[in-house]
Amino acid sequence: MSEPVKSLPSPTSSGGQPAGSDTYKGWLYKWTNYLKGYQRRWFVLSNGLLSYYRTRFSQQPLLPCLCVYVCLCVNVSLCIRTQAEMAHTCRGTITLATAHIEVGDTCHLVLTSGGRNYHLKATSDGESQRWVSALQQAKANTTHMMHQSDDSGDEAPVPQPDRALTQGALKTLASKLDDLSTCNELIGKHGTALQRSLSELEDLRTATDGTDKLKTVNERATLFRITSNAMINACRDFLDVAETHSRRWQRALQYEREQRHHLEETIEQLAKQHNSLERAWREAPSTHPDGGERRREGDASDENEDTEFFDAVEDSPAFITVTATDHTQHRRSASNQSIMSGQLPNNEWSHDEKDAGSDNMQLRRVRRSRIPDKPNYSLNLWSIMKNCIGKELSKIPMPVNFNEPLSMLQRLTEDLEYSDLLDRAARCESSLEQMCLVAAFSVSSYSTTIHRTAKPFNPLLGETYELDRLDDFGYRSICEQVSHHPPAAAHHVTSQRGWTLWQEITIDSKFRGKYISVMPLGCIHLQFHSSGNHYVWGKVTSTVHNIIVGKLWIDQSGDIEIVNHRTKDTCHLKFVPYSYFSRDLPRKVTGVVADSEGTAHHILSGTWDEKMESAKIVESSRGCGGSEGKQKTVYQTLQPKLLWKKYPLPENAENMHFFSSLALTLNEPEEGVAPTDSRLRPDQRLMEAGLWDEANAHKQRLEERQRLERRKREAQATQALEEGQDFEGFQPLWFERRTDDSTGESTYVYRGGYWEAKDGQDWSQCPDIF
């Protein structure tokens, strides 16, 4: 049962009294976790804050009325609970000013505050309604007081807040609050006693008894009047102290905001000064320990603020090479030729017995497990990025210093890192369990991005990439760049283990000054051969933070809706964005798998950089629509099962662009690939070898060649339009646009012919793009 200690009129009541502190206490059941379920907690609503405790805090025995009156008159606080008790038993506090109150059925209510949901349950409908009324009134009073505080005080901000004065004000407010708590308790008890006496007075039958009872009533009425006056005085004192210091605190808050803004400007200036000092140091002559003079070829040019770099998109001839700061100068043209030609190194092959007791042998290639270490280059980042705010990422001029030695086509192929999840899903008889594995696969593709803040190379139009892993993983993959503006790639994978995957992804990206957002547009399709289940989903937004100052870090955020178009099963995944103030795990992912009727069967949980688990639902408690039409459901599940766990990174990964084991093999030279394959792209190949100056030079050449090809196509289109003829423009070689039967959307799908052309080594149709 709850104990309503005091109820003040609302701020808009006819009485016009100022809103004070509303206190309401009682037992409620709070949802903790799936193991413990609902647990009984003692809740206290006071001054716009709802606090909850494991146990009901103790109260001191009631003092004699005269002693209480004397204590109140001299303003001595009678503490109902000590600060030690509060600190020991308080389990959490909810601020009602920013909380959302939602009413469910069967005595349920949900409070949402700071991105966290609190599921509460009362013992009866009446008790639930009383709590809701008290919470709503407390929220209204708190909001009104905040508005009054915002409107008051426009004096100049204090230069430095007085810490001692603030501490004193807080102690005074705490003392006044204790007075209010004491008065609340006394008013409640004396009011109950007075009401009981009045009821007994009405039931009297003789005048003699009436005289005695009337005396008792007068005494209790006097006590009630005394405590009421004390309550009014305590409220007035509390409001006076709060209003006196409210303006001071507002000014202090404004001062802190201005200081923070000033600090941000100072950091930016320091970053510029650091770059200037670094440039001056490089330009100054110095000697190495071996006595030779340090040569800086072209160092001055790479810090020119007008320098522009291009990533196969922008129309401008300007380009400045960025030079290294260490030992890369001695590796030059002799090694360049072998690297650019894509010649295979001395490949290692392992012999595996094909049949026990047989002399037949099968050759299996040993894939590489490392690439050259990433060299240490310096670059004036601000001089490049300052004029790019608001642009698409594909249109920002970039040197290879910001890239990793993989193309976007290879990054798409890297989604197959955990293809074994699809192999397991193909063997599932239950479509709902299959959906869990498909959801884990959709999350696993982001696990390789946790340290990968560099951007991949933008593929040239018509560029392709193949990955033939039939021997070990059972699949073949082919990608092609099908559009240049906007950049779009098509991808098709066929597995001998019972599934086919295809996708068309268009990249939309923006640079916002402090961060870069990458929004992949398009759908991923997955079909299992035996069941015919056809799954479709999209991708979430990737954001790279601290572009100008600080350590780069990446985050994934948004929702993914996976739909099985054959059974109509669905899975809703939520990638929770990182927040410094959130109690959730960083990089958290949650999800619910439901059937065609909307009934939930599995709960998914984990992180996109580590693992995903599924738990089968055994019971659910569904609430009704709240004030915003939302529906909250509480699920009880069995113990979770591990669906997917990230593989550990290879040794020395921090010096190899944080590539995974599969990523290390993606750019490994292969014999017999198409002449448009990303492995043969010279600037990317040179960057992987650590020759970034030469890579930038070849990058400029490829971009200029692509611009000329685009202008040629535009001229042909204009001429065809003038002559009234049709002009198709660029047509992909291995993909064609079709309408999907399940979704009704138009997308690029594999038309076939690539693997046949590879078997016959007939690449006559391939354009010369490198």
Side-chain angles (χ1 to χ4, degrees):
M1 293 294 293
S2 60
E3 300 178 1
V5 178
K6 179 177 179 291
S7 177
L8 287 178
S10 64
T12 57
S13 64
S14 57
Q17 301 176 19
S21 66
D22 300 339
T23 304
Y24 200 82
K25 305 176 184 178
W27 292 104
L28 287 174
Y29 288 89
K30 176 182 175 293
W31 175 261
T32 55
N33 53 52
Y34 291 111
L35 295 178
K36 296 184 178 180
Y38 283 96
Q39 295 293 317
R40 194 166 181 248
R41 296 288 183 261
W42 177 254
F43 280 81
V44 177
L45 171 62
S46 178
N47 298 297
L49 299 176
L50 180 64
S51 304
Y52 55 94
Y53 309 80
R54 284 190 175 179
T55 59
R56 178 176 177 177
F57 40 73
S58 60
Q59 296 182 348
Q60 295 180 355
L62 206 64
L63 298 179
C65 298
L66 183 59
C67 180
V68 172
Y69 177 69
V70 173
C71 289
L72 289 173
C73 291
V74 297
N75 198 24
V76 177
S77 174
L78 298 176
C79 294
I80 300 301
R81 55 192 183 275
T82 66
Q83 294 296 327
E85 290 172 333
M86 292 285 289
H88 178 69
T89 60
C90 184
R91 306 300 298 172
T93 302
I94 306 170
T95 304
L96 293 180
T98 57
H100 170 67
I101 304 171
E102 183 174 337
V103 183
D105 60 355
T106 62
C107 311
H108 283 79
L109 59 147
V110 181
L111 299 181
T112 304
S113 177
R116 183 178 178 184
N117 295 332
Y118 299 85
H119 295 269
L120 310 178
K121 184 169 65 174
T123 55
S124 65
D125 290 335
E127 185 72 11
S128 174
Q129 186 58 44
R130 285 191 291 272
W131 269 107
V132 170
S133 300
L135 291 170
Q136 291 176 344
Q137 181 179 359
K139 179 178 180 180
N141 293 346
T142 305
T143 305
H144 179 73
M145 291 183 66
M146 291 178 63
H147 291 329
Q148 284 185 335
S149 179
D150 291 340
D151 295 339
S152 64
D154 49 354
E155 304 174 18
V158 293
Q160 285 189 350
D162 189 347
R163 186 179 185 85
L165 185 61
T166 302
Q167 294 292 340
L170 291 176
K171 291 182 180 179
T172 304
L173 287 174
S175 174
K176 298 298 180 183
L177 257 155
D178 288 335
D179 290 345
L180 292 175
S181 299
T182 302
C183 293
N184 277 329
E185 296 291 338
L186 293 175
I187 286 177
K189 294 184 180 298
H190 291 317
T192 302
L194 178 60
Q195 187 176 10
R196 188 185 306 114
S197 298
L198 291 174
S199 299
E200 294 174 354
L201 187 61
E202 292 177 356
D203 297 334
L204 291 179
R205 297 181 179 179
T206 62
T208 306
D209 294 336
T211 304
D212 297 334
K213 293 295 182 181
L214 187 59
K215 182 178 180 182
T216 303
V217 169
N218 288 332
E219 291 176 355
R220 292 180 174 174
T222 302
L223 291 175
F224 186 83
R225 185 175 64 256
I226 290 172
T227 53
S228 299
N229 291 334
M231 181 68 178
I232 294 173
N233 293 333
C235 289
R236 186 181 295 112
D237 293 341
F238 181 87
L239 286 175
D240 289 343
V241 174
E243 290 176 356
T244 301
H245 295 281
S246 174
R247 296 183 181 89
R248 187 191 310 277
W249 290 337
Q250 288 292 331
R251 294 195 301 271
L253 179 61
Q254 180 64 27
Y255 172 80
E256 293 298 332
R257 288 173 177 168
E258 293 175 358
Q259 289 294 100
R260 176 181 175 181
H261 180 69
H262 177 69
L263 180 61
E264 290 177 349
E265 293 179 345
T266 303
I267 291 176
E268 183 177 325
Q269 293 294 329
L270 288 174
K272 294 180 180 179
Q273 293 176 12
H274 172 77
N275 289 330
S276 299
L277 290 172
E278 190 178 39
R279 181 171 63 250
W281 177 85
R282 287 198 302 269
E283 292 174 352
S286 62
T287 58
H288 286 296
D290 59 1
E293 182 173 340
R294 177 162 56 95
R295 293 179 298 176
R296 308 300 306 169
E297 299 177 358
D299 275 2
S301 63
D302 69 2
E303 301 301 332
N304 188 340
E305 289 193 353
D306 295 329
T307 299
E308 294 186 26
F309 303 88
F310 297 88
D311 202 0
V313 208
E314 199 72 15
D315 272 332
S316 176
F319 190 95
I320 301 296
T321 300
V322 179
T323 59
T325 59
D326 55 5
H327 57 279
T328 61
Q329 297 293 331
H330 68 278
R331 295 177 291 180
R332 284 298 176 252
S333 58
S335 61
N336 295 356
Q337 294 300 322
S338 62
I339 292 171
M340 292 167 52
S341 63
Q343 295 178 5
L344 284 170
N346 294 328
N347 292 324
E348 300 179 15
W349 301 81
S350 65
H351 297 270
D352 296 333
E353 289 194 15
K354 185 176 183 180
D355 233 353
S358 171
D359 293 336
N360 294 330
M361 306 294 289
Q362 180 184 13
L363 291 178
R364 175 173 295 179
R365 181 175 176 181
V366 178
R367 305 277 175 175
R368 69 180 184 181
S369 59
R370 64 170 294 108
I371 59 175
D373 288 355
K374 178 182 177 181
N376 181 23
Y377 286 82
S378 62
L379 185 68
N380 188 340
L381 179 62
W382 179 250
S383 66
I384 297 174
M385 305 296 284
K386 66 178 183 179
N387 296 321
C388 302
I389 297 177
K391 292 184 179 180
E392 291 186 11
L393 187 60
S394 61
K395 295 185 177 180
I396 294 180
M398 293 277 192
V400 299
N401 302 55
F402 294 99
N403 289 76
E404 61 179 18
L406 291 177
S407 73
M408 190 63 203
L409 302 181
Q410 292 166 312
R411 285 294 292 268
L412 275 182
T413 307
E414 198 177 348
D415 288 354
L416 302 173
E417 176 95 29
Y418 299 93
S419 62
D420 61 297
L421 290 172
L422 302 184
D423 299 340
R424 290 165 51 193
R427 298 190 295 268
C428 283
E429 297 181 357
S430 168
S431 62
L432 294 172
E433 293 180 359
Q434 189 179 74
M435 174 69 84
C436 292
L437 289 169
V438 172
F441 173 78
S442 69
V443 175
S444 69
S445 62
Y446 298 97
S447 64
T448 60
T449 66
I450 179 64
H451 301 294
R452 304 267 290 278
T453 54
K455 65 184 291 286
F457 279 79
N458 288 335
L460 303 176
L461 188 62
E463 185 174 333
T464 61
Y465 179 75
E466 69 155 73
L467 185 63
D468 188 350
R469 302 301 292 266
L470 286 177
D471 55 343
D472 46 2
F473 297 141
Y475 64 77
R476 274 179 166 180
S477 167
I478 175 65
C479 293
E480 183 177 7
Q481 187 77 359
V482 297
S483 174
H484 190 51
H485 286 296
H491 184 203
H492 182 86
V493 189
T494 301
S495 173
Q496 294 178 338
R497 300 175 183 175
W499 53 270
T500 300
L501 181 145
W502 67 97
Q503 60 180 321
E504 178 196 345
I505 298 297
T506 301
I507 300 299
D508 184 18
S509 53
K510 291 292 184 181
F511 174 52
R512 300 299 187 186
K514 293 182 180 180
Y515 62 89
I516 290 176
S517 294
V518 180
M519 292 80 70
L521 309 176
C523 292
I524 304 171
H525 296 256
L526 173 65
Q527 188 166 23
F528 292 98
H529 302 164
S530 59
S531 63
N533 288 336
H534 182 185
Y535 297 88
V536 180
W537 69 92
K539 287 180 172 288
V540 296
T541 299
S542 301
T543 306
V544 181
H545 296 268
N546 292 345
I547 297 298
I548 302 301
V549 177
K551 182 180 179 180
L552 293 174
W553 61 278
I554 193 168
D555 192 25
Q556 315 288 347
S557 60
D559 295 344
I560 292 180
E561 190 78 20
I562 307 176
V563 179
N564 183 343
H565 283 273
R566 191 184 73 85
T567 64
K568 307 304 179 183
D569 298 339
T570 61
C571 175
H572 182 82
L573 291 173
K574 181 176 181 60
F575 287 66
V576 180
Y578 174 78
S579 173
Y580 180 79
F581 302 99
S582 175
R583 297 182 181 180
D584 291 331
L585 285 174
R587 300 172 284 278
K588 181 179 179 181
V589 180
T590 59
V592 178
V593 175
D595 59 20
S596 58
E597 302 296 329
T599 304
H601 291 268
H602 295 272
I603 293 292
L604 305 180
S605 62
T607 58
W608 54 262
D609 68 322
E610 184 177 358
K611 66 179 180 178
M612 286 295 293
E613 297 176 336
S614 70
K616 186 175 179 59
I617 297 174
V618 295
E619 185 179 351
S620 63
S621 174
R622 190 182 298 272
C624 65
S627 58
E628 297 181 3
K630 296 182 179 179
Q631 193 175 45
K632 301 294 183 181
T633 306
V634 178
Y635 300 108
Q636 296 182 12
T637 67
L638 300 177
Q639 288 293 329
K641 297 180 180 179
L642 181 66
L643 292 174
W644 156 78
K645 187 174 183 179
K646 181 184 177 182
Y647 301 144
L649 289 175
E651 185 180 357
N652 195 40
E654 64 276 6
N655 295 321
M656 299 185 296
H657 308 274
F658 287 98
F659 280 178
S660 64
S661 297
L662 177 63
L664 288 173
T665 68
L666 293 179
N667 206 43
E668 187 174 8
E670 297 276 352
E671 293 180 346
V673 299
T676 54
D677 197 273
S678 298
R679 298 177 180 90
L680 304 178
R681 181 167 173 166
D683 52 351
Q684 184 175 308
R685 177 65 58 192
L686 289 167
M687 183 198 174
E688 181 187 277
L691 305 176
W692 287 13
D693 295 339
E694 292 82 349
N696 275 321
H698 280 277
K699 189 168 182 286
Q700 181 186 18
R701 176 184 62 82
L702 292 175
E703 292 160 356
E704 183 60 32
R705 181 174 181 176
Q706 181 165 252
R707 285 191 288 269
L708 292 175
E709 291 293 331
R710 189 178 73 236
R711 295 191 189 105
K712 186 185 298 183
R713 286 193 299 271
E714 292 173 351
Q716 293 174 353
T718 302
Q719 182 179 357
L721 182 63
E722 293 175 352
E723 296 176 357
Q725 300 177 357
D726 294 334
F727 181 75
E728 293 185 351
F730 174 80
Q731 295 297 322
L733 190 57
W734 310 112
F735 289 82
E736 62 182 358
R737 185 170 289 281
R738 296 179 193 168
T739 300
D740 186 83
D741 296 334
S742 300
T743 63
E745 297 179 353
S746 177
T747 183
Y748 278 100
V749 296
Y750 180 57
R751 71 170 70 188
Y754 178 86
W755 302 109
E756 293 77 7
K758 181 181 180 181
D759 292 339
Q761 284 299 295
D762 180 13
W763 304 117
S764 57
Q765 302 180 70
C766 295
D768 180 15
I769 60 174
F770 297 142

